[in-house]
Each structure stands twice: as structure tokens, then as C-alpha cells.
Amino acid sequence: MKLCFASRNPHKHREIAHILGDAFQLLTLDEIGCREELPETASTIAGNAICKARYVWQRYGMACFAEDSGLEVDALNGAPGVHSAHYAGIPPDTKANIERLLKELQGISNRKAQFRTVIALILPHGELHTFTGTVSGWITPVPRGEQGFGYDPIFQPEGHHLTFAQMSLQEKNQVSHRRRALDAFLNFLHNHPCIRR
Ligand code: ITT
């Protein structure tokens, strides 16, 4: 039984592979012959995770999981949220996304925010399961750090002095939204012998 991880984001692949280790036999989109863009047409993070997983299951007949993530800022009513990747426009531009977010928060003292990940898993017969992970923190006044990706340089998780971009992969993976969603996902998979290696 093989499981495809339906994502084109190499940073997500790296973080997920680090957490999963060799517990499961994961296939990439390239390995199943999927070269096209996956649809992300829903209006919520969970909806987009389901969209991507369902697309791969329907077209390629593979058990698979996808994840969608976003940064939700309290003072911006949850923006950029589902629009995190394209906050400053298309094509996605990480530096411009960060600049826009810092500009929107200029003069605002409430810097509370959370990262959210939703994983959508589709089993061989089409059964859908979702798993959510969140981590709360603050948006820093200026970017700090070079590691990670996306909004990591301006997100400082609660209880830490460092931004995600100042942490090693191991440190980020101990507390991240992705880690928390993966813990719930793993717990489920361990109880489903058909998926185990
Ligand atoms: P997929 O192929 O998996 O869809 P993607 O990069 O398009 O990859 P998303 O649609 O989930 O991924 O976009 C979420 C955006 O949110 C992503 O481009 C980053 O800007 C940001 N993001 C997600 N997880 C993050 C993390 O752990 N740290 C920093 N930023 C993150």
C-alpha cells in the first residue's frame, strides 16, 4: 500500500519527510506521473486540502494526502488565511507577501496570529479524513532569520524568542502547525494497517 503526498512545495516535503521518517512509503506527484497544477479553488484552507487530495485520488486512483496551510492574523480578521500564498498577487512572491503583511500591520499593536495546517487524507476506496494543526504566536516588527520558508521570518511562536526562520528544521518541527496536524494524521494511520509499510 503506497501513499502519495500531493504537494509541489519542496519545503513541505522536507518538513513532512523529516517528521514521518521511514514509517510510510510516500510517493511524490512526479512519481505517480502527475505533472499538472493541482486545483485550489475552495474558499477555506480545509476545502483546498480536500480539493488537492480528491483531484489526485480521482485522476490517479491513488490513496493520497494533501495539505493546505495559511497564516491567520487576528487584527486582519484572519487574513491572509486561505490567500497566504498569493497575498501580494500572482505569481506567489514570499518577499512581497511579507512586505504587504507588515504594511497592513503598521501602527497596530495587536500582533497575534496563528498558522493553520489542514491535512486531507483519502483512502483507497475514497474515504476522506481531515486533520488540523495550529500554532499561536506573534508577527514580529521586522523579518528575522534565513531558515524555513514563506512567512517564517516574521512568525514567532508563543513561548519562544526565535522566529520560525531562526530555528533549525528540528526545532520548528517540534512545535509547528504542520507537526501538530501530522501527529493527528500519524495517530490515525498507525491504526489503519492497510496503509502501513
Ligand atoms: P502545495 O503544492 O502543497 O499547494 P503551496 O506552496 O501552494 O504548496 P499552500 O497552498 O498551502 O502551499 O500555500 C500556503 C502558503 O502559506 C505558502 O506558500 C507559504 O507562503 C505559507 N506557509 C505555509 N506553511 C508555512 C510555514 O510552515 N511557514 C511559513 N509559511 C508557510
Side-chain angles (χ1 to χ4, degrees), residues 6-9 12 15 40 52 67-70 84-85 115 149-152 172 177-178:
S7 171
R8 297 221 174 274
N9 185 321
K12 289 184 183 178
E15 291 185 8
E40 293 190 58
K52 291 184 267 192
E67 69 108 282
D68 205 69
S69 302
S84 293
F115 266 121
F149 71 103
Y151 297 90
D152 281 347
K172 179 181 173 188
H177 46 309
R178 189 160 290 107

Side-chain angles (χ1 to χ4, degrees), residues 73-77 87 100-112 138-141:
V73 179
D74 285 9
L76 303 177
N77 297 318
Y87 194 41
R100 173 164 180 206
L101 188 54
L102 292 179
K103 203 165 159 213
E104 302 278 352
L105 286 178
Q106 245 167 30
I108 296 177
S109 57
N110 177 7
R111 318 281 295 190
K112 272 185 79 66
W138 290 272
I139 303 300
T140 56

Side-chain angles (χ1 to χ4, degrees), residues 5-13 15 29 37-40 45 48-49 52 66-71 80-87 92-94 97-98 115-118 135 148-153 155 164-165 172-173 176-178:
F5 175 42
S7 171
R8 297 221 174 274
N9 185 321
H11 302 283
K12 289 184 183 178
H13 272 277
E15 291 185 8
L29 287 171
E37 278 300 308
L38 302 182
E40 293 190 58
I45 290 174
N48 273 343
K52 291 184 267 192
E67 69 108 282
D68 205 69
S69 302
L71 180 60
V82 69
H83 305 295
S84 293
H86 305 112
Y87 194 41
D93 179 339
T94 297
N97 285 342
I98 287 179
F115 266 121
R116 175 183 304 276
T117 289
V118 177
V135 57
F149 71 103
Y151 297 90
D152 281 347
F155 183 82
F164 270 164
K172 179 181 173 188
N173 274 349
S176 79
H177 46 309
R178 189 160 290 107

